Amino acid sequence: MGAAVERNALLRELAAFCEAHPVDEKILLVPSFPVGTQVLDALARSGCPHLNLRPATVFSLAHGVAGAALAAEGRETLSRAQLLALVEDACDQVLEPDSYFGALRERPGLHRALQATLNEIRRAGLTPEQLPSDALEDPRKAREMKAIGRAYRDALEAGKLADPLDVLAAATRMLRENPGLKLPRSARVLRPEGLELSTLESAFLDALLPRPATLLEVDAAEDAPLTPERVFLACASGEENEVRAVFRRVVDERLALDDVEIAITDDAAYRPLVYELAAQAGFPCTFADGIPATFSRPAQGVLDVLDWFAAGYPERPLARLFGAGRANLAAAHPRGALVGPVRAARAFRRAGIVRGRDRTRARLALDRARLERRAAAEGLEPDAIAERLVPLDAVAAWVDRLLAITPVPDLEGRVDLAALARAGLALTDLLDVASRLDGMAREGLARLFAEFAALPPRRLPLAEAAARLREAVSTLAVASSTPLPGHAHVARIGSAGWSGRGHTFVLGLDEARFPAGGAQDPVLLDHEREAVNQRLGSRPLPLRRGTGAEESRRALAALLARVRGRLVLSYSNRDFLQDAEQFPSSAVLDVFRVLEVRPRAGFRDLFEREGAPAAFRPAGEPLDEIEFWLAALHAPAIDHARATCEVEAAYPWIADGREAVEARRSPAFTKWDGRLTVRPGELDPRVTREPTSASRLQLLAKSPRAYFLKYVLGLAEPDEERAVDVWLDPLEYGRLFHDTAFDFFTERKDPDAPFEIVKETARLLKVADRNLARMRAEIPPPSEVAFRQQRDAFLADLDVFVKGEAKSAATSSPRFFEVPFGRSHGSAGRDLASADPLEIRADGGAFLLEGKIDRIDAEGAGAWAVWDYKTGSERQFKDSMPLNRGRQIQHALYARAAAILLRRSGYRVESLRSGYYFPTRKGGGRRVVPEVSDADVDATLRDLFDLLASGAFPHSTESRDCDYCGFRMACGDPDDAARRSKVKCGSGEPLLEALRALEDRDV
Ligand code: SF4
């Protein structure tokens, strides 16, 4: 910072005092050390060397008097976060659910408000005990505030702890008891005018100072040097453009960043915005109040984990944590660094955890076993299997570490807050650090958790303890700094304007934000404060009504008075979130009147004089790529055709997108509609001899595009959100049913014995109990209610099943179950099973089929029935169309497969029917056998294979096919896609001939 500083009144006074007392010890009272540092720095840069001048706050002076004595007594001074935790604890002890503050007792807002009010009472030189009960509108309120005050004080005493007001009180007491502790007469204490002191602070200073502090004049608000040469009003469309306008001026006017200060009225809105835009455009900034830690990965990761605790360990927060790359997998697994966020999140979500601490671990282990089995079945070597499992192993190892450091709730679901904070401390080592901010945030989090961990033990429900830590993390800021060379400085209006910089921008002067405040203290209302002051015969408690707004106005007026150099006051005229117009604050109008020397000017005059608001398109030098393109594309004489070419040359994917949209809108069947260039036979299983399955062919018939995405590109459908209150998903439920039916029949000693319903029902229930218990161990339910609901539904389904079996027992005998054929369905070894896929002959050519037949029943000599269990409803099956244009061809294929398997094992096959069995309540135990000729099956197969051979994979022509499709996101609106696909199919395109034939066939 090289620019000379123009002195304001305070600097002039200070300079004069330093010249008059060059070597005396001089203490400048300041509201905070950062402000003090800036004042002294500005003084030096204004050309006033100073010696023996130091800034001090009232608290730092009090600590200087009493700190050592308190430490000798073993009393520790707590941080703000720790003190708030003590207030929370006091509320927990005192407030009953039906008490005055009881309904709000778990709200962080109440704790903060109570802390502020209790401090205010004490700063006024009172204690909560002195509150006259009849001054408050509800006597319970006074009672509870006194009780909370007592509990808070007891906690401080019991823990040998102190808060800043204790330090102040102790220092005052010590000074009264021992006047030798006073400052020496040689020390000069300087107090700027307007530095407000509470009763307690004034009493301390009276005791400390051997003579009254020297008052230093500051610029009076009414004397603020507001002239049109140095003060400018600015308007922008939205807050983002207010910030952009600052940086645009920096660029356009080549301002030195360290001659720029940005004062903000609304910290919550502007600090993150300035931080993000400055980082994006590459402008280094310092922030007086720091950067919200929640911008960092470690803080975001901590919040994810706290959400995970608070909500009963649902999978979503951890999936978010993995997906956003917040987990340091390398800390848990030697190869964790190789696993990217997407792979980690996918591995985690595929485990189907839903929720639950035990279930998280169990499902990850289960998924590992499943993947291992599948990889082994594919014939992979152990090394390749291990490689494939790295993402899941890294995620599982990370979750294991997390579970190892987190406290287990007791039987009442409670944990010690300090123990949870210790877990938070350990967690910081498990989270990724990828930037300087991440590193600072990790240190800040570690400090914060260490403070909580040092608090006395306090057991809370897990969700509440997590919420307490969440609140503390959410308000944590890191890297707070005084102005630094090479950086613009950002501060709230109350603490801005001390740096002596040449360009000050005040942002957020719209009427919605400024003046802020005005709300009453929610704990002690103004009329109660007035009553307290009357009863106590003084007026120690300030009123709050309107004081917030008044304070904001005073802070701005003081800022305008003390800054020198150029000043830009800006406001946003648009709220984009609400899509509403915004107006400048009356403070802007006041400044306008002074600048124009028109005391009666109104908003209309202001708007007339105002230039165009700063918008997204820059008038001068663009800050970033977005601004560059906006400026270029909206230049006055733009040639749109050329602009399109330029944009598409810079971003070829935009050109691809436009081409795709146009191609899809046309009747032609193009590469953007699923037209692949394939070598002859490349995708045709009749040529490649790659095994196919019934479900693959059915998917092809339903949607060639879905087939392409899944089996040609090898994409997996995105994971679906699981219902949080359901134990088993439909696939898992189907497995439970299949396993139970399998065990029930295979454990039957004599399959030909008469089916005695009572005896068989009892046996089935035993099998069901066993399988339910096994499944429960394998997949822990999210709750006991969820388990019982599904167990009862399952038993009711089995009742339908066993009755159906009793009915059919007279005419058929179940003989073979879960018969696999083909590599991917496991090895042979059971009756009829085949390790190899089966060759199915059809008119259009032979192909290899793999799959698994649920069940084959003997129905007399040489007569067989093949059944496929369907645990869902039968509505999706079309009786009128036995093959449903290929969408329902499994029964026909399994009939051929079963005939091969039976004959291969020496069974006579005279007749064979194949169909679907709906053994649960949804299907009512019905069995459906679609009647279809071999010629129709062959013709349908030929069309399907010809379609594959053509390389044509259009969208489905029926939008209802998309109803349960996981690829919907890739296809856009299903009605649109189906309509376009129909047009293209009807266009006579030769490649779609097979699809037309399939669609035209009414079988
Ligand atoms: S959303 Fe519809 S068109 Fe797209 S892949 Fe799925 S079924 Fe096919």
Side-chain angles (χ1 to χ4, degrees), residues 38 44 118 187 200 231 256 311 524 587 620 681 696 742 761 784 799 866 872:
Q38 289 178 65
L118 291 171
L200 214 53
V231 179
L524 209 50
R696 281 173 76 143
F742 180 85
T761 302
E784 192 57 27
D799 188 50
V866 177

Side-chain angles (χ1 to χ4, degrees), residues 11-260:
L11 293 182
R12 280 198 305 274
E13 289 268 295
L14 260 180
F17 196 88
C18 287
E19 277 165 25
H21 306 274
V23 292
D24 290 355
E25 183 189 6
K26 298 173 281 297
I27 298 171
L28 176 66
L29 287 177
V30 287
S32 68
F33 274 106
V35 166
T37 309
Q38 289 178 65
V39 172
L40 265 56
D41 182 55
L43 180 65
R45 287 190 296 120
S46 76
C48 173
H50 48 81
L51 192 68
N52 257 349
L53 171 63
R54 65 182 168 97
T57 63
V58 175
F59 175 74
S60 72
L61 292 173
H63 199 266
V65 173
L70 289 171
E73 287 172 21
R75 284 171 79 103
E76 190 188 337
T77 311
L78 296 186
S79 71
R80 277 181 60 188
Q82 288 173 310
L83 292 169
L84 183 61
L86 291 190
V87 174
E88 290 165 2
D89 201 13
C91 289
D92 284 350
Q93 288 174 36
V94 169
L95 302 179
E96 295 298 332
D98 57 352
S99 64
Y100 185 82
F101 290 115
L104 302 172
R105 65 184 182 156
E106 282 163 20
R107 298 270 178 87
L110 173 73
H111 304 141
R112 275 198 303 270
L114 275 167
Q115 185 184 36
T117 307
L118 291 171
N119 281 345
E120 207 171 9
I121 291 169
R122 290 172 63 204
R123 266 201 300 269
L126 303 171
T127 66
E129 297 290 347
Q130 286 174 277
L131 282 180
S133 299
D134 60 347
L136 273 55
E137 61 181 21
D138 187 324
R140 290 180 303 162
K141 195 191 229 187
R143 229 178 11 247
E144 288 174 22
M145 287 180 69
K146 290 176 188 184
I148 291 168
R150 272 197 302 274
Y152 172 79
R153 179 119 310 276
D154 290 349
L156 287 176
E157 294 303 328
K160 297 194 93 179
L161 306 167
D163 66 10
L165 294 177
D166 287 336
V167 177
L168 203 57
T172 311
R173 202 173 47 248
M174 286 169 67
L175 285 162
R176 284 179 185 154
E177 288 166 2
N178 182 3
L181 292 173
K182 280 178 181 275
L183 281 180
R185 283 194 72 77
S186 58
R188 307 285 185 153
V189 175
L190 312 172
R191 177 181 168 185
E193 275 179 349
L195 179 70
E196 290 184 2
L197 298 175
S198 67
T199 311
L200 214 53
E201 288 168 330
S202 298
F204 163 71
L205 283 182
D206 287 347
L208 176 75
L209 306 186
R211 61 174 161 227
T214 305
L215 275 184
L216 298 181
E217 190 188 330
V218 298
D219 295 276
E222 54 278 13
D223 297 334
L226 302 178
T227 62
E229 290 72 36
R230 58 173 290 268
V231 179
F232 303 88
L233 303 181
C235 166
S237 293
E239 297 79 10
E240 178 178 339
N241 286 318
E242 270 189 276
V243 180
R244 282 184 179 274
V246 174
F247 291 126
R248 283 174 193 156
R249 275 186 197 252
V250 168
V251 172
D252 291 343
E253 298 174 19
R254 300 188 187 285
L255 304 182
L257 271 181
D258 48 17
D259 204 19
V260 171

